[in-house]
Amino acid sequence: MKTFNALLTSAAGSVPLEAHFHGNALVAGDGDGDGGVDVARIVVSVGGMEQPELFLNWLDAQGRQVTLKPLSADDIATVLRDAPPSLQPSLQKLWNERLHNRRQVSGWLAGLTGAALLAGGLLWWQGNNAIGAVAGLIPLSTEKQLGELALAQVRTQGSLTGNGAAQQTVQEIGQRLTAGSRYQYRWFVKQDDSINAFAMPGGIIVVHTGLLRQAGSPGELAGVLAHEVQHVEQRHSLRQMITSLGWGALMAVTIGDISGVAAMLAHQAGTMYFSRDMEEEADRLGVQALQRARIRPDGMLTFFQKLGEENQAQAPGWISSHPQTAARVRRITALIEATPCPACQPLDSNHWQAMKAALPPADKK
Ligand SMILES: [Zn+2]
């Protein structure tokens, strides 16, 4: 039994520790005396841009994603050598086919147009920076597949509703903001007290009940949705997913072998951090989308300000991934002032009162 160094990422955060295999179990750290994780529950995935990375994923007792990543090439070698026989086929398959799959990805790029070839060349040279260029070439159908996979994983983590007063409110407002889009949006409400909303590739938007409780008016909810929708429209979610999952995701959806990526997506979906440029773009284009829908955009601003004042310390969720900096508020204020919209009205929603009344009581902290 040889130990290896690894990074364990769970709902509680990331910790470096030593791990080893014992019989048919993976023991991380001291294993909390529970004998470790049965390897039958482990899903193997590979990724990494600069260098290949190996991930061992499973769900904890609450159905939340846990990921163990061997740190160095030596640590990966130990896993490949010492893992019990039942884990070996998937380990060897994913790891050994990694190089082969890289060639398949480049073959796929070569099959596209000259622009794709250029982007492919950039990709090899610039790593993450070129992801944006390549993301633009990924077919909508593939993007939708990624989104569906991520949605399936989010569903395993808690209850999502696709109907009811809350979902109808979100959908009603969302549809006004996405008229004419190339995406067919789907709107979900998650029973979760944290203040959060997120966008997944292909047009899937999830709003937590905690955020609905916090929203003071339909216009404030519209501000959040307008922002999130832009993370789909500008393919930010797609780019971030590919960037952080590495080649694995792009390769997997391209060649249709999505099994290894599915588990990784769960961790991704609700905790996606975008670059500051992407956030600025989502704010700016979100304000424009509100105005196109003839909705007064100041709800976006008031919701941001409210979170900034009341809940800055509350994490994680929308606030930690969308810091309410003074600069941001100034920028949005200036934007709204620079683009007056006389036709814009305060937003009304037929379902608003029913939605508020139907929200589950907040968890007592
Ligand atoms: Zn954002």
Side-chain angles (χ1 to χ4, degrees), residues 100-112 117 124 254:
H100 173 63
N101 287 333
R102 281 190 177 220
R103 282 196 294 276
Q104 281 191 305
V105 170
S106 67
W108 169 72
L109 287 171
L112 296 176
L117 278 173
W124 297 114
T254 302

Side-chain angles (χ1 to χ4, degrees), residues 326-342:
R328 182 178 206 183
V329 167
R330 265 201 311 276
R331 223 175 21 250
I332 299 174
T333 308
L335 198 60
I336 292 173
E337 280 171 3
T339 53
C341 177

Side-chain angles (χ1 to χ4, degrees), residues 129 227 230-231 234-237 239-240 273-286 321-323 328 331 335:
N129 292 338
H227 175 101
Q230 292 308 317
H231 285 320
Q234 306 308 316
R235 292 192 141 181
H236 296 161
S237 304
R239 277 189 249 172
Q240 288 305 87
Y273 283 72
F274 297 110
S275 71
R276 211 171 71 188
D277 284 352
M278 289 179 181
E279 290 300 343
E280 285 184 20
E281 189 172 41
D283 285 347
R284 180 166 49 81
L285 298 178
S321 59
H322 294 82
R328 182 178 206 183
R331 223 175 21 250
L335 198 60

Side-chain angles (χ1 to χ4, degrees), residues 29-103:
D30 59 10
D32 293 331
D34 63 359
V37 183
D38 187 338
V39 294
R41 292 168 49 206
I42 292 178
V43 177
V44 179
S45 58
V46 295
M49 286 295 299
E50 305 300 324
Q51 62 207 30
E53 293 178 334
L54 178 69
F55 304 94
L56 305 176
N57 315 282
W58 64 94
L59 299 177
D60 69 11
Q62 282 79 45
R64 294 170 306 193
Q65 177 90 9
V66 183
T67 299
L68 185 87
K69 182 179 87 159
L71 287 181
S72 70
D74 280 352
D75 296 319
I76 292 174
T78 302
V79 171
L80 292 173
R81 197 184 55 238
D82 288 358
S86 61
L87 197 59
Q88 286 293 345
S90 61
L91 265 179
Q92 300 297 339
K93 175 173 183 288
L94 280 165
W95 192 252
N96 294 331
E97 287 182 359
R98 190 173 37 84
L99 287 173
H100 173 63
N101 287 333
R102 281 190 177 220
R103 282 196 294 276

